[in-house]
Amino acid sequence: MDANELGWWGVPLAILGGAIRVGTPLLWVSLGETVTEKAGRINLGLEGTLLMGAMAAYGTAFVTGNPWLGVLAAAGVGLLLGLLHGLLCSLNRVNDTAMGIALMLAGSGLAFWLGKPLIQPSAPDLPAIELGGFTDQPAVRAALAISPLFVLGLVLAFGVHAALGHTRFGLRLRVVGDSEPAARAFGLQPVLYRVVATAFGGACAGVGGASLSLVVPGAWSEALSSGQGVMAVALVIFARWDPRRCIWAALLFGGASAISPALQALGYTQGYYLFAALPYVLTLALLVGLGKPGPKHGAPGELSLNR
Amino acid sequence: MSTAAMPLAAASASPLRQRALALADALLPALAALAIAVLGFSAAVAVAGHDPVEVWALIFRGGFGDAFAWQNTLQRAAPLILTGLAVALPAQAGRVIIGSEGALVLGGLAAAAAGTVLAAQGAWLAWPLMALAAALVGGAWIALAGWLREWREVNETISSLLLSFIAIALFNQAVETVLRDPASLNKPSTAPLPDTLMLPPLPGLDVHWGLVLGIVLALLAWGVMRLTPLGLALRVAGGNPRAALGVGLRVPLLTIGACAAGGACAGLAGAVEVAAVHGAANASLMAGYGYTGILIAFAARFSPTGVVPVAILVGGIAASGSLLQRRLGLPEASVQVLLGVAFVALIGCETLRGRLLARFGGR
Amino acid sequence: MQDRQPMNRRHAVAAAGALLASAAAPWARAQTPLTVGVIYVGPKGDFGYNQAQAAAAAALKKLPGIKVVEEESVPETVAVQKSMEAMIRQDGAGLIFPTSFGYFDPHMLAMAAKYPKVRFAHCGGLWTQGKHPANTGSYFGYIDECQYLAGVVAAHATKGKRLGFIAAKPIPQVLRNINAFTMGARSVDPTITTRVIFTGEWSMPVKEAEASTSLIDQGVDVLTCHVDSPKVIMETAERRGVFCSGYHASQAALAPKGYLTGAEWDWSTPYGLLVKAAQTGAPHPNFLRGGLKDGYVKMSAYGPAASAAAKARADGIKAQMMKGSFVIFAGGKAGLKDNKGATVIAAGQSLAQTAPELERMGYLVEGVIGSIPG
């Protein structure tokens, strides 16, 4: 049978496929968080936003039968939650670390509460983009059946990079994130930019959640997210606030999660918990290596993490 | 108002008025948050088809209604006090640590391992050693985050979070392989502690001694912060590191020490869970106490003694979830929503602090 | 561990006998109102483990004089002790079902010591005479019998001779299922192999999806599993166009084309026995075990993809199991080897379902590709 030939080169194929599958939600959340952090705000509550997005996407797709409406609903819900975080953190004396964690608690609780009736039903999945039409081997075809949200994520990554680097809005947002006095000197209103950036971040996180519930694993459950929302914050740092590097970072983190099953399928089983820790060890090593991330690393000066 | 009477009135009413105003200003954020949380949650349950009054009555009854409810609440609050301190103590030195979950599981593992080694000894020898092991391991783990900040300016919030994930992976690996009790076939676990080494409940109450440990440590922390030069040094180091360095305080040592103290509390929380509840270290240790502790510390504004009542309140609300499920069919998640909304409100209402004083004070 | 099996087996048989006797006697059928408490570790509608328990609880609600209080998503911490205690004190429960494995020790035992008049029935725990109090007990089913039959059906369906098994944790109950499934398949065709992947946790949808995809990429064309909620695995299999075999409860609705059959629990049997004992005041059954014959487990209805030959063969073996004359774990002529080459069951030796060695299983049989993670 064809599959017998896969053997060893099935591993890189599986890892690539897995990296794309597991990395897509990470890509979306990290892109949103990159924009948020570039404006000088940190949102640790993306886990809750992601879950609310996943639940909203699944519910909408189930009720309407159209998964794309689900994605839209997820983006909308994420936008609202991001807006809430942005507005509340703009108030004086409100700590954005704490607010993020509190919103994570509230958001995930609400997602579980509202999502109770969604555990059983099956909602339609997003159709995959089949790139493997040239081959007969089902495994290759499957690995090359790319999630449309991954493709959109790639487009978004380049779009965000272009917007941040080459548009007036992007420049202003970066100034707001780098130095508030400079922003005010230019007559900008930092609060406005930060709220918009946080809302955008929330919308992206919502779509990331939709990727979980409508693509892989393609179901709603309370164990759906194993910390992807929080992992994305580490990812943004790992990517040094560059949207294009977010793509590689998301693939790396996603691949690390996918390595374990791929190796097990071939019979290697040692230390599978340690693989789970690998992305975090890498991020920590990067942080230690970077020292304090400065402007040359793309780090926004106003970000509370860098003060 | 006659011009003659005014200066007199101003002179005698002012200090009292100032104090009343200060009190109102201090209470306003909490009261506003309470109002928002109550209204918000009431609206949510009303939309879900339940009577809010009935829900609040059940929450009160489930958390604080009778002796049984109180014991349930205190039992849940015990680890939360310790994990709240785990965040509050480093915060005294200006460090925001959110990785206490990792320190908790490693501390629990250390205590379980120590307990297994010391199984033949009496409790009075074993317990301090188990506690020491847990405190050292937990303290070292968070101190690492503090040290990375001092050495390479790595933000301790992020590094403690990453370290927490790494700690959980290490814990799982150890419990399933190296330290696994071969008899724990169906749930990987370390070797069970002998009954002699299990923490007994408080006399007359169904709550274990971990509660007392938490309260004692909270009082101790308060005492150190308020009454000793070390506490003052910590607060200066946390508030204004440059000034602290300027007066010759060894800021790095102080901040790393504060982180270690916080980590030690988290480790002790793990040790207490092992010795008082589970009797071994296994996956049940990861119950989210660390993350709830973060919110408790913030809500208590990092005051060590403030952590205790907040932890009890949170414990009570969490305890009522069971009653809500059985009586009204409200899912467990509804209690999580209440806690989340309450914390969002509390942290958001911080913005009201000082506004009364600014508006009405200082004439 | 001493060999306490014969003692408990006799005890179970005696208890069952006493119950049958009391059931037959009309004057003994007391309709004492009884409140039963059921505690789940996850949501009831999870298409898996908890759903199977909830189905039995739902069956109890229909019985006269029975009131059921349920609580979901209770973690395996001190919280479950308080839940049990609350059910006893606030709801007056006389029989409690803590359904997750991790509730047993220390939580259920602590509550049982505190409330000696209340009965506790745990799923899956190893109740031991002399070690555990008399008001506690455990029930479990030999679902590996169903997995064996599922393996037989899978063997007929697979074209590539490769089966896949996604397992949560390498504990004896799980290994037993993996082995039974493999042995059932290999009894039809000895060249069939089973690839196993351990996800490490009872419920990790992303890992389960990845594991499914990874196995299918390796040429597996029949998937089964032992995780809390098989929903993701079944849906992934259906999406990729391979066959699947269910677990815990029927997931046929999720995979209308590819669902062959499944291994399901029928907890209403032990639940019924326990409730009846509580109502009539008979002693609490301490150790309930049973397979297909005793009605503790059942097979899902065959799906459209199960061939007639497969059904005939599986039904034939099932009939033998119903008579109690079929042994899965037997050494046969050459002994049963594990997948590292060692002999784990000697030639000629056969282990009945109640054998204690099976509850301590720590190997994967020949034909399973994969190893127990260490």
Side-chain angles (χ1 to χ4, degrees), chain B residues 187 277 322 325-327, chain C residues 71-72 76 82 90-91 106:
Chain B
K187 179 164 180 154
V277 178
S322 167
Q325 262 202 63
R326 283 177 290 121
R327 291 282 186 274
Chain C
E71 203 179 322
E72 297 176 298
E76 293 173 351
K82 293 301 172 186
Q90 292 169 341
D91 299 316

Side-chain angles (χ1 to χ4, degrees), chain A residues 51 54-55 58 118-125 209-225, chain C residues 47 205-206 208-209 229-233 235-236 239 254:
Chain A
L51 284 168
M55 189 271 310
Y58 200 73
L118 294 174
I119 298 179
Q120 279 228 347
S122 284
D125 291 336
S211 173
L212 281 173
S213 67
L214 292 178
V215 182
V216 173
W220 165 255
S221 89
E222 295 184 7
L224 190 66
S225 171
Chain C
F47 253 116
V206 176
E208 289 157 22
S229 176
K231 186 173 184 227
V232 168
I233 296 168
E235 287 184 334
T236 307
R239 210 178 295 137
L254 298 173

Side-chain angles (χ1 to χ4, degrees), chain B residues 6-357:
Chain B
M6 213 163 78
L8 205 62
S12 62
S14 185
L16 186 64
R17 188 173 177 279
Q18 279 297 93
R19 241 181 272 153
L21 202 58
L23 185 66
D25 186 85
L27 287 178
L28 181 64
L31 291 175
L34 184 70
I36 294 174
V38 169
L39 285 171
F41 190 65
S42 303
V45 299
V47 166
H50 302 277
D51 173 16
V53 175
E54 197 185 351
V55 171
W56 286 112
L58 277 177
I59 291 177
F60 180 76
R61 194 174 144 215
F64 310 101
D66 56 11
F68 172 67
W70 269 101
Q71 287 180 44
N72 195 350
T73 297
L74 289 173
Q75 183 87 298
R76 285 172 186 259
L80 295 177
I81 296 174
L82 287 166
T83 54
L85 286 174
V87 178
L89 293 182
Q92 302 292 322
R95 296 287 178 256
V96 178
I97 297 282
I98 61 175
S100 37
E101 189 89 358
L104 188 154
V105 298
L106 288 181
L109 189 67
T116 313
V117 164
L118 297 165
Q121 310 299 324
W124 296 107
L125 176 65
W127 280 340
L129 290 175
M130 285 164 64
L132 191 65
L136 280 176
V137 170
W141 201 250
I142 304 293
L144 181 59
W147 176 68
L148 284 175
R149 171 76 189 245
E150 294 302 320
W151 177 49
R152 296 288 287 170
E153 298 211 47
V154 177
N155 180 275
E156 75 282 357
T157 308
I158 287 291
S159 67
S160 66
L161 188 65
L162 293 171
L163 284 172
S164 177
F165 286 127
I166 296 172
I168 289 172
L170 288 174
F171 174 82
N172 279 325
Q173 188 68 25
V175 166
E176 293 224 358
T177 57
V178 177
L179 290 177
R180 182 175 182 165
D181 171 27
S184 67
L185 291 168
N186 280 323
K187 179 164 180 154
S189 194
T190 57
L193 291 176
D195 282 335
T196 49
L197 290 187
M198 295 289 292
L199 270 180
L202 291 165
L205 279 178
D206 196 18
V207 186
H208 56 74
W209 279 91
L211 178 72
V212 172
L213 181 66
I215 296 177
V216 164
L217 283 176
L219 289 171
L220 194 67
W222 174 85
V224 166
M225 292 307 299
R226 292 281 147 197
L227 306 173
T228 66
L230 174 65
L232 182 61
L234 267 173
R235 278 185 285 142
V236 173
N240 194 338
R242 279 206 202 93
L245 281 171
V247 298
L249 288 178
R250 304 184 55 183
V251 171
L253 203 61
L254 285 169
T255 52
I256 297 176
C259 290
C265 287
L268 284 172
V272 164
E273 280 294 296
V274 166
V277 178
H278 299 282
N282 53 42
S284 299
L285 276 184
M286 293 180 280
Y289 296 132
Y291 294 112
T292 315
I294 299 169
L295 292 172
I296 291 175
F298 271 101
R301 302 180 67 232
F302 305 131
S303 149
T305 42
V307 164
V308 177
V310 177
I312 292 176
L313 184 64
V314 170
I317 294 176
S320 68
S322 167
L323 202 56
L324 286 176
Q325 262 202 63
R326 283 177 290 121
R327 291 282 186 274
L328 294 178
L330 270 175
E332 189 67 27
S334 60
V335 166
Q336 192 178 333
V337 170
L338 172 57
L339 284 173
V341 168
F343 280 121
V344 169
L346 208 56
I347 291 163
C349 286
E350 273 299 300
T351 189
L352 295 171
R353 193 173 300 275
R355 296 213 184 188
L356 278 185
L357 275 175

Side-chain angles (χ1 to χ4, degrees), chain A residues 7-234:
Chain A
W8 258 108
W9 76 272
V11 175
L13 194 68
I15 294 178
L16 179 65
I20 294 176
R21 279 188 299 271
V22 180
T24 304
L26 287 175
L27 177 61
W28 277 88
V29 183
S30 62
L31 283 176
E33 180 67 6
T34 301
V35 172
T36 307
E37 290 193 14
K38 274 289 195 195
R41 167 90 58 235
I42 186 168
N43 188 350
L44 283 173
L46 290 176
E47 182 79 3
T49 312
L50 181 144
L51 284 168
M52 280 294 289
M55 189 271 310
Y58 200 73
T60 309
F62 176 66
V63 165
T64 63
N66 183 342
W68 287 107
L69 283 181
V71 175
L72 226 57
V77 164
L79 187 90
L80 286 174
L81 280 172
L83 200 62
L84 184 66
H85 181 88
L87 286 171
L88 287 174
C89 289
S90 315
L91 298 170
N92 240 344
R93 305 182 73 119
V94 173
N95 182 302
D96 48 7
T97 306
M99 179 57 78
I101 298 178
L103 277 174
M104 172 167 74
L105 189 66
S108 43
L110 194 61
F112 295 153
W113 190 356
L114 294 174
K116 264 243 171 282
L118 294 174
I119 298 179
Q120 279 228 347
S122 284
D125 291 336
L126 283 172
I129 300 175
E130 301 277 347
L131 291 179
F134 58 88
T135 175
D136 272 335
Q137 292 204 6
V140 181
R141 290 182 85 141
L144 292 177
I146 311 280
S147 153
L149 285 179
F150 179 69
V151 175
L152 278 176
L154 290 179
V155 170
L156 186 70
F158 284 100
V160 165
H161 178 80
L164 281 178
H166 303 293
T167 65
R168 279 218 303 237
F169 182 82
L171 176 64
R172 290 179 184 159
L173 193 134
R174 280 184 292 134
V175 171
V176 163
D178 266 329
S179 163
E180 215 168 301
R184 289 191 202 280
F186 280 121
L188 301 173
Q189 282 188 329
V191 169
L192 183 66
Y193 285 87
R194 288 199 183 126
V195 169
V196 168
T198 315
F200 176 76
C204 289
V207 175
S211 173
L212 281 173
S213 67
L214 292 178
V215 182
V216 173
W220 165 255
S221 89
E222 295 184 7
L224 190 66
S225 171
S226 41
Q228 270 96 319
V230 189
M231 206 194 273
V233 177

Side-chain angles (χ1 to χ4, degrees), chain C residues 158-207:
Chain C
T158 178
K159 294 190 183 54
K161 309 291 172 196
R162 289 180 184 201
L163 310 177
F165 198 109
I166 296 169
K169 295 191 188 244
I171 63 176
Q173 288 164 3
V174 175
L175 297 175
R176 199 164 161 174
N177 280 334
I178 301 172
N179 291 336
F181 184 71
T182 307
M183 288 164 73
R186 283 164 76 88
S187 76
V188 173
D189 179 352
T191 64
I192 291 181
T193 57
T194 305
R195 278 164 168 68
V196 67
I197 292 188
F198 292 96
T199 61
E201 263 312 323
W202 292 108
S203 187
M204 286 215 103
V206 176
K207 276 231 163 73

